[in-house]
Amino acid sequence: MAKTQLNVRVDEGTARAARERATARGMSVNRYIEELVRQDAGEIGQTFVEAASDFMKQYEAVFVEEFGAEREGGTPGVGTREAGTAAAGTAVAGTSGAGTSEGRR
């Protein structure tokens, strides 16, 4: 990817913080700023989600073999997310929306 020079003016405290944080991460200030912008734009998060999806597709058969087909697709049971949600709902029975994503907004 071709690089474009971008000059910005920031106060000394911001410049110092950028230098310190870049150094602590073992990278240049340029790379640090570039990564901050990518994170803000969601590019890194999207790349992670795509990589995780590819991983799950690639190893789906291994997970099914290890943990069983009955747990595939979120069948409620021990260790599943739905089981935890159901337990949370019964713990606060009688409270409207409790234990659901709507009750936690």
Side-chain angles (χ1 to χ4, degrees):
M1 173 186 289
K3 298 285 185 174
T4 299
Q5 184 171 343
L6 175 67
N7 296 313
V8 296
R9 292 185 182 271
V10 296
D11 62 73
E12 186 55 41
T14 301
R16 183 175 41 257
R19 286 187 206 103
E20 289 171 359
R21 291 171 189 256
T23 299
R25 289 170 173 74
M27 62 178 66
S28 69
V29 173
N30 286 335
R31 181 164 175 210
Y32 176 68
I33 300 297
E34 187 174 12
E35 286 190 12
L36 287 176
V37 171
R38 283 187 179 159
Q39 286 174 7
D40 188 50
E43 183 178 314
I44 290 175
Q46 184 61 36
T47 300
F48 171 79
V49 169
E50 289 170 1
S53 176
D54 290 343
F55 174 85
M56 291 304 294
K57 287 175 188 172
Q58 183 177 358
Y59 291 100
E60 179 179 15
V62 176
F63 284 102
V64 170
E65 182 180 325
E66 179 71 23
F67 300 109
E70 71 279 357
R71 292 184 54 191
E72 184 178 4
T75 303
V78 176
T80 65
R81 185 172 154 187
E82 288 78 8
T85 302
T90 58
V92 286
T95 305
S96 177
T100 66
S101 59
E102 293 165 2
R104 289 188 288 257
R105 287 187 185 157

